[in-house]
Amino acid sequence: GVMEHARVLDMIGGLVTSLMSLGDTGGPIAMLWSSAAASSVTDNIPLAAMLSKTLQPIAEATPEVQEGYWWSIIYGANLGGNITPIGSASTVVAVTIMARTQLQMSFIDFVKKATPFAIVQLLMASVYVWLLS
């Protein structure tokens, strides 16, 4: 596909490999937070698909890869999308409803209000991933 041609998957594979070098605990938690950051500005479904496509061959070649990495991708890609009004389908719907009901909120105001909730969710997910490792 286009992303393979642009070597995006190779770049992401390098990032995944470098995150995995942070160890059994640090790696999955770093993966969770980095995928959350990426998900806040991209569509979370293609991001999760791309990360899983990148992680799959590494996981097959390295049996000690724990399930924490898979959960990190799931949680990070899904929860990170809640930080911005463009990061997930649910926030896009929320912004549409807000506009329809005349509730005005700028992009920055949305981020300011959503970030504390997303951080709490990501901290809870980090604890879960830490318990898996």
Side-chain angles (χ1 to χ4, degrees):
V2 172
M3 293 184 48
E4 290 169 347
H5 181 66
R7 308 203 45 85
V8 172
L9 291 179
D10 289 340
M11 289 180 1
I12 292 172
L15 173 65
V16 168
T17 302
S18 66
L19 291 176
M20 291 174 76
S21 71
L22 296 174
D24 292 340
T25 302
I29 291 175
M31 175 78 71
L32 186 145
W33 286 85
S34 62
S35 62
S39 179
S40 71
V41 294
T42 63
D43 188 355
N44 56 353
I45 294 171
L47 175 70
M50 184 172 32
L51 287 171
S52 66
K53 184 175 182 178
T54 303
L55 184 59
Q56 183 66 40
I58 297 169
E60 289 173 358
T62 315
E64 67 269 10
V65 171
Q66 298 179 2
E67 66 180 295
Y69 284 101
W70 295 111
W71 285 111
S72 294
I73 290 172
I74 292 166
Y75 285 134
N78 284 294
L79 297 175
N82 296 329
I83 297 171
T84 64
I86 61 169
S88 72
S90 61
T91 57
V92 171
V93 170
V95 169
T96 302
I97 292 169
M98 290 166 48
R100 200 176 311 147
T101 60
Q102 310 291 321
L103 179 60
Q104 299 298 318
M105 186 180 294
S106 70
F107 186 93
I108 296 299
D109 287 338
F110 186 99
V111 171
K112 285 179 184 177
K113 290 189 184 297
T115 298
F117 295 102
I119 288 173
V120 168
Q121 293 170 336
L122 289 165
L123 286 171
M124 290 170 40
S126 295
V127 169
Y128 179 75
V129 168
W130 175 70
L131 291 172
L132 288 175
S133 49

